[in-house]
Amino acid sequence: MPPRLRKLIGTVLIIILVIVYALVATTVASLTLATSPWWVHMLYFFFTGLLWILPAMLIIKWMEKPSKPRD
């Protein structure tokens, strides 16, 4: 796969990941944390704010993988 195409696909995947992850994290928070204290909200959004980085790193690693040379 050409590097430009891989980067385009990876960029689209990261955008979809961020949108879906934000919607899911916010929905879960609004359904489960309604009566929780402020520090539970802070911990939840701290961890969920960092958790999306793990799948994004995998996508970026895949995007930056060198192409196989043609024989």
Side-chain angles (χ1 to χ4, degrees):
M1 180 180 302
R4 289 181 66 154
L5 179 60
R6 190 179 304 138
K7 289 183 182 186
L8 175 66
I9 293 170
T11 302
V12 171
L13 285 175
I14 288 175
I15 291 170
I16 292 170
L17 169 75
V18 169
I19 291 170
V20 170
Y21 186 81
L23 290 173
V24 170
T26 305
T27 303
V28 169
S30 66
L31 293 175
T32 59
L33 300 177
T35 59
S36 300
W38 66 270
W39 58 271
V40 174
H41 287 258
M42 187 174 72
L43 286 174
Y44 175 79
F45 283 111
F46 176 77
F47 287 117
T48 56
L50 293 176
L51 193 60
W52 70 274
I53 296 172
L54 296 174
M57 284 185 345
L58 293 174
I59 294 172
I60 292 170
K61 185 183 282 189
W62 174 78
M63 286 169 50
E64 295 298 324
K65 185 171 58 171
S67 303
K68 293 182 181 177
R70 292 184 179 180
D71 292 332

